Amino acid sequence: MKRLLVVLTALVLTGCNSAQSANGTEVDEPVTMTDIKALIGTPKAQTVESCKVLPVGKKACGGPEGYVVYSSETITNEQALLDAIYKYNEKAKEDAKTGYSTCEHIPEPMPQLKGGVCWIP
């Protein structure tokens, strides 16, 4: 009986760690802008060349919803950031198929360095 309880507990705990679709396959949790900003942290840099800009989101008429800036000097896991933005953008593409947007073109901003922190206007 105790062994059955241990096995059931393990199964319940395993199930709590990942979401599953109706057909039983694992589904990644959606990435939010909060997740992306947490990966970026405070983009501190010594030179503006360390400031990098990436497009995020997708408008229904095309183009990104906006941009984020990060510092190559302070990012702890750049690949994790790129993966998160990719997942965010893929979800935004799906959402854009049935959504509306302003169709306003947002040009890629040039990063700036103010007080040792990267930012975009």
Side-chain angles (χ1 to χ4, degrees), residues 29-40 56 68 81 84-85 87-89 91:
E29 291 293 320
V31 175
T32 66
M33 187 55 67
T34 302
D35 298 329
I36 291 170
K37 288 181 179 181
L39 287 168
I40 292 171
V56 290
V68 294
L81 174 63
I85 289 175
K87 287 178 183 177
Y88 182 87
N89 288 347
K91 169 87 169 72

Side-chain angles (χ1 to χ4, degrees), residues 70-113:
Y70 72 98
S71 171
S72 60
E73 293 178 31
T74 58
I75 191 81
T76 56
N77 188 341
E78 189 172 21
Q79 190 58 53
L81 174 63
L82 297 175
D83 291 345
I85 289 175
Y86 175 80
K87 287 178 183 177
Y88 182 87
N89 288 347
E90 287 300 304
K91 169 87 169 72
K93 280 183 195 176
E94 288 302 312
D95 293 346
K97 289 178 182 177
T98 58
Y100 298 96
S101 70
T102 62
C103 298
E104 175 186 0
H105 172 71
I106 301 174
E108 183 173 323
M110 294 297 296
Q112 298 178 12
L113 189 62

Side-chain angles (χ1 to χ4, degrees), residues 16-35:
C16 292
N17 290 331
S18 62
Q20 292 191 349
S21 67
N23 66 4
T25 59
E26 265 191 39
V27 177
D28 286 334
E29 291 293 320
V31 175
T32 66
M33 187 55 67
T34 302
D35 298 329

Side-chain angles (χ1 to χ4, degrees), residues 43 51-54 56 66-70 107-113 117-121:
C51 301
K52 309 295 179 193
V53 176
L54 294 171
V56 290
Y67 295 88
V68 294
V69 64
Y70 72 98
E108 183 173 323
M110 294 297 296
Q112 298 178 12
L113 189 62
V117 178
C118 301
W119 72 280
I120 49 179

